[in-house]
Amino acid sequence: MVTLDKIRQDMKSRLDIDKDLHQVNVNADTIDEALADAAVQLDTKVSNLQYEIVERGSEGFLGLGKKHWVLKIYQDPNTIKKVKKLASDGLFDDEELNESVVVQDKDGLFFVRHFASDIMLKVIPPVGNGEEIVLKDVLDEIKRADTLEFDEDAVKKYVKSGTDGKYELVGQYKHIPAGDVLIGVDVSKDEIVGSIIVGPPSMSGAEASEEMIERALKSQGVDQSCFEHDKIQEFVDHPVYNIPFEVAHAIMPVDGHDAYISYNFETDPSKIKAKISEQGNINYKDINRIQNVIADQPLATKILAERGKGGHTLFGRYLEAKNGKDVQVQLGANVKLDRDGVTIKAEIDGEVMLVNGKITVEPVKYLDAVNLKTGDIKFVGTVVIKGNVEDGYKVEATNIEVNGIVDKSRLEATGNIVVRQGIFGKGEGYVKAGKSLWAKFINDTTVEVEENVIVYDSIMNSTVTAMKNIVVKGKKAQITGGHLSATEEICARKIGSPGGGTETILEVGIDPRAKKRLEYLQKMQADSTKELEKIELDVQNLEQQKKLRKKLPQEKEDKLRSLKEKCDQITNELDEMTEEIEKIQAHLRELKAIGKVKAEGTVYSGVKIYVRDSLDEVKMDTSSVTFYYEKAMCRRGPYEPPSLKEDQPDGYTTD
């Protein structure tokens, strides 16, 4: 049976799993901005992310009607799985977990440049299966007509090991300054983009170096923070002459993101699908579209609006940024805002949902029926079912109310269960309540409750156990067939059947659960005692052989040792069983409830009634009688009305 503690434990386990949740909802002007934001929140790279579009964005018309993109962004499951495996194997530390290593083949590269009077060499070694750099090609480019000297050993070393992305000095050439490149700087009117226009060098003239380009920009007043060093380096490696080439850009303002709500649950119930097993099979009973939460569970988090980050033009003029807009947290029923002012938590156990934009927790779940459409139901609140619970389905909840029929199914509640029509168990139905059960009838079903069973028609061919009372009311009010056990009273109008064709057994004045445990332990004790006797006999035979032969073969020696260990184990188990049996027997002897069976009408012959340990097997039909315990005997007296005065609860409101 499901218990509220078990459901709470399940939910806490899910909360622990949620700590590793790799999913966020993000609002942004563009998809790229949303991915960049999610990468920061999830502490990973954009390349490791996947996303689903919740709401499409729109630029609007002339700024009007602009809509943000709303994306559900999550880490690629394959990446997560790979990272976890590497982490569990101890291959990466925390800082390396989010790095994915991708090896691409790249050919080696070299660049020979003439800066001032120096011959400079930059070598990038090949990657993977890329082609090696040929030394002769490098030497051919260095050996120009104006080359004065060069260090061939240094060239060989750099070709072999690379220059670590830098230009290294390898020789001298005859420098003629008049042939140097000419660098012009052009800045756009809005002071956003800075470009250089470079005239090519003549023979023996110097080429454009990174220092020369930066010096030219500074001379025109361009702020150093605006230099695009990667583009400057790109120009040095691959110069483009007489064409504008961007090498500087204004620091653009970055508008702050608007505040938004990041939900910890699926806001669109239609997206909750049936679970797929590892074998690829779909269990349509395990749909459970109910998103259970427990009190104090975080449901959502308000991601605060960000302040914009201002920028400046190439000449230092300030560029203003917009701050993100705030959003009000809309709280529905049974939720609260945590002390931090941004975390929305559940106040009670129930189902979390989004109702008119407000996060709400509902303690009651209303269903038309339980069938293929709903699958099995598991809920930490009260379930109210308008129709029937069909064959083969399970309902687990705190309280359950069924206005129709319960077929061959399973109901388990930590509180009360109400079945307004009745229960057709068909031999396999099972109902368990942590408090009481009310039903119109119970037919061919196993029932276990912690308090009372109240039935308004009949109980037929069922096994019913109640820790307090079983009361059958109404015009018919009949118990026919089956085995009923109650600690206090069993009451009905008629008990058994004419002619005694169906065995009917009633037990009162005992703790049904304790008695069932006692019977189980006694059977186990008997079986273990027989096994122990057999093992002891085998041990005696082997020890007798050892005594005669003075030594046993190793195989038999091992068997003897194993049998002795088994003997000790069974002996210890028997001691524990005996101790528990004695405690249960003492509990049953001290039970204060005497127990009574009350029949307003007829008790038919053949009915067996146990009051405590005393049996009264009815030999002849008797009427208007009360069976009770007195002086270690089951006795009969005049009919007494049921002591239990409790009526049917007002639906799920009864606790």
Side-chain angles (χ1 to χ4, degrees):
M1 165 185 168
V2 67
T3 65
L4 186 56
D5 288 339
K6 182 177 184 302
I7 295 176
R8 285 179 179 275
Q9 189 60 43
D10 289 345
M11 295 307 301
K12 286 178 181 177
S13 299
R14 292 182 64 180
L15 283 177
D16 292 338
I17 294 171
D18 287 345
K19 292 178 182 177
D20 297 325
L21 184 65
H22 303 277
Q23 172 182 305
V24 292
N25 286 0
V26 179
N27 296 11
D29 291 338
T30 65
I31 292 178
D32 289 340
E33 286 184 12
L35 289 170
D37 187 3
V40 173
Q41 293 188 52
L42 295 173
D43 192 22
T44 187
K45 300 195 302 183
V46 172
S47 60
N48 290 341
L49 299 178
Q50 295 183 359
Y51 65 89
E52 297 176 9
I53 297 175
V54 179
E55 293 182 17
R56 290 187 171 274
S58 171
E59 291 295 329
F61 179 70
L62 298 177
L64 298 176
K66 181 177 180 180
K67 289 177 59 179
H68 283 127
W69 288 82
V70 181
L71 304 183
K72 178 184 290 184
I73 303 176
Y74 48 89
Q75 284 186 261
D76 185 333
N78 294 327
T79 303
I80 296 172
K81 186 176 180 180
K82 179 180 178 183
V83 166
K84 285 185 176 179
K85 184 179 187 304
L86 293 172
S88 65
D89 292 342
L91 300 179
F92 290 148
D93 58 27
D94 290 343
E95 295 181 356
E96 294 174 317
L97 288 180
N98 291 321
E99 297 296 328
S100 57
V101 180
V102 180
V103 178
Q104 296 179 343
D105 297 335
K106 292 183 180 179
D107 296 340
L109 298 173
F110 72 91
F111 306 93
V112 176
R113 294 290 177 264
H114 296 74
F115 301 150
S117 59
D118 300 328
I119 302 175
M120 309 294 288
L121 175 64
K122 178 179 178 180
V123 176
I124 301 174
V127 177
N129 295 320
E131 292 187 7
E132 301 279 349
I133 297 170
V134 179
L135 176 63
K136 181 177 180 303
D137 294 342
V138 180
L139 295 175
D140 287 346
E141 192 162 332
I142 292 175
K143 295 176 182 178
R144 291 194 332 190
D146 57 356
T147 299
L148 298 176
E149 60 179 0
F150 68 92
D151 187 342
E152 187 170 345
D153 290 338
V155 173
K156 289 180 180 178
K157 182 183 76 171
Y158 292 139
V159 168
K160 184 176 180 180
S161 61
T163 60
D164 197 24
K166 303 175 183 178
Y167 279 94
E168 299 288 351
L169 177 65
V170 293
Q172 303 287 321
Y173 75 104
K174 185 178 179 180
H175 178 216
I176 302 176
D180 290 354
V181 295
L182 297 175
I183 302 177
V185 176
D186 178 62
V187 176
S188 61
K189 290 182 179 181
D190 57 7
E191 304 177 14
I192 299 299
V193 178
S195 303
I196 56 173
I197 302 174
V198 181
S202 303
M203 186 62 180
S204 299
E207 297 171 280
S209 66
E210 187 173 355
E211 292 77 9
M212 289 175 66
I213 295 172
E214 291 182 357
R215 192 162 54 246
L217 292 171
K218 288 179 183 178
S219 69
Q220 297 300 314
V222 177
D223 192 297
Q224 187 172 346
S225 64
C226 298
F227 293 178
E228 296 181 282
H229 296 285
D230 55 339
K231 291 189 176 181
I232 293 174
Q233 191 61 58
E234 181 184 347
F235 183 90
V236 174
D237 292 343
H238 305 282
V240 178
Y241 296 115
N242 297 323
I243 296 175
F245 191 92
E246 181 183 333
V247 290
H249 197 282
I251 305 300
M252 301 304 293
V254 178
D255 293 341
H257 288 302
D258 293 343
Y260 63 92
I261 306 298
S262 176
Y263 298 98
N264 298 338
F265 61 95
E266 178 55 69
T267 57
D268 184 358
S270 65
K271 293 184 178 179
I272 303 175
K273 306 296 183 184
K275 293 182 180 179
I276 302 176
S277 68
E278 293 181 359
Q279 293 74 28
N281 299 321
I282 298 177
N283 183 359
Y284 287 102
K285 288 185 179 180
D286 194 9
I287 313 173
N288 201 15
R289 299 182 186 277
I290 302 172
Q291 298 186 82
N292 289 298
V293 295
I294 59 175
D296 215 36
Q297 178 177 338
L299 307 177
T301 303
K302 176 184 176 180
I303 307 301
L304 299 176
E306 293 181 345
R307 294 185 60 83
K309 185 178 180 182
H312 61 80
T313 67
L314 296 179
F315 296 147
R317 181 167 55 83
Y318 182 72
L319 297 174
E320 188 174 0
K322 295 179 181 179
N323 293 328
K325 297 178 182 178
D326 195 17
V327 63
Q328 294 298 318
V329 177
Q330 300 292 324
L331 299 181
N334 305 314
V335 298
K336 62 183 178 181
L337 197 61
D338 199 19
R339 292 180 180 179
D340 61 11
V342 295
T343 304
I344 299 112
K345 290 186 173 182
E347 285 189 323
I348 62 172
D349 298 349
E351 178 185 17
V352 62
M353 59 183 70
L354 206 60
V355 180
N356 298 324
K358 297 180 180 180
I359 300 173
T360 302
V361 175
E362 291 290 348
V364 180
K365 181 66 178 178
Y366 294 92
L367 299 169
D368 289 334
V370 175
N371 49 31
L372 183 61
K373 183 178 179 181
T374 63
D376 292 340
I377 300 298
K378 187 174 183 178
F379 185 45
V380 294
T382 293
V383 174
V384 178
I385 301 163
K386 183 178 179 181
N388 302 333
V389 179
E390 296 185 5
D391 280 359
Y393 289 92
K394 181 193 296 185
V395 180
E396 300 173 86
T398 304
N399 298 296
I400 301 171
E401 179 177 350
V402 183
N403 290 309
I405 295 289
V406 173
D407 286 323
K408 184 180 65 179
S409 52
R410 191 177 185 95
L411 304 186
E412 298 186 26
T414 56
N416 294 318
I417 297 177
V418 178
V419 183
R420 302 221 179 255
Q421 294 303 314
I423 305 169
F424 276 119
K426 302 174 185 176
E428 297 180 30
Y430 178 78
V431 177
K432 190 165 188 177
K435 290 187 178 179
S436 295
L437 165 67
W438 287 261
K440 186 174 182 181
F441 61 82
I442 299 173
N443 194 333
D444 215 8
T445 304
T446 298
V447 175
E448 297 178 11
V449 302
E450 296 300 310
E451 293 183 2
N452 303 304
V453 174
I454 299 115
V455 176
Y456 292 86
D457 192 344
S458 64
I459 299 176
M460 298 184 66
N461 301 319
S462 296
T463 300
V464 181
T465 302
M467 297 305 295
K468 289 187 178 180
N469 300 279
I470 300 173
V471 179
V472 186
K473 301 181 177 182
K475 292 181 180 180
K476 188 176 180 182
Q478 183 165 349
I479 298 172
T480 305
H483 191 154
L484 280 65
S485 303
T487 303
E488 297 177 11
E489 293 183 0
I490 298 177
C491 305
R493 182 181 294 276
K494 296 179 182 180
I495 301 174
S497 59
T502 304
E503 184 178 58
T504 305
I505 302 174
L506 277 60
E507 293 185 78
V508 292
I510 49 94
D511 180 337
R513 189 185 298 111
K515 185 175 181 182
K516 187 178 293 185
R517 176 66 177 169
L518 178 63
E519 291 171 351
Y520 170 77
L521 288 173
Q522 288 173 335
K523 182 179 183 304
M524 288 289 294
Q525 186 182 51
D527 293 343
S528 296
T529 301
K530 289 180 181 178
E531 184 180 3
L532 180 61
E533 291 172 353
K534 182 178 180 303
I535 293 173
E536 286 177 338
L537 184 60
D538 291 340
V539 169
Q540 289 175 7
N541 290 335
L542 287 172
E543 286 183 336
Q544 186 67 26
Q545 293 179 29
K546 185 175 182 180
K547 186 176 180 180
L548 293 173
R549 300 180 183 180
K550 296 185 179 181
K551 188 177 181 181
L552 289 174
Q554 188 61 44
E555 181 181 348
K556 289 191 175 182
E557 193 70 51
D558 292 341
K559 184 178 180 181
L560 178 59
R561 184 173 61 256
S562 176
L563 289 172
K564 285 182 176 180
E565 290 174 356
K566 185 67 174 176
C567 219
D568 292 339
Q569 178 188 341
I570 295 175
T571 301
N572 291 333
E573 290 174 353
L574 282 170
D575 290 341
E576 292 174 1
M577 287 182 203
T578 300
E579 184 179 353
E580 187 176 355
I581 287 170
E582 289 174 352
K583 287 181 179 179
I584 294 174
Q585 288 174 335
H587 165 68
L588 293 175
R589 283 194 301 269
E590 294 169 2
L591 201 61
K592 292 181 180 180
I594 296 176
K596 293 182 179 181
V597 175
K598 301 176 178 181
E600 185 180 2
T602 304
V603 179
Y604 293 101
S605 64
V607 172
K608 295 178 181 178
I609 295 177
Y610 290 87
V611 181
R612 301 187 74 172
D613 294 326
S614 179
L615 169 64
D616 185 344
E617 186 170 358
V618 180
K619 303 296 184 181
M620 296 179 60
D621 296 354
T622 183
S623 300
S624 191
V625 62
T626 296
F627 296 84
Y628 63 95
Y629 187 83
E630 185 179 75
K631 296 181 181 180
M633 294 287 291
C634 178
R635 301 185 181 276
R636 302 181 187 183
Y639 170 73
E640 300 173 8
S643 301
L644 182 67
K645 303 299 182 183
E646 188 173 358
D647 291 326
Q648 183 166 334
D650 184 15
Y652 61 84
T653 59
T654 293
D655 275 336

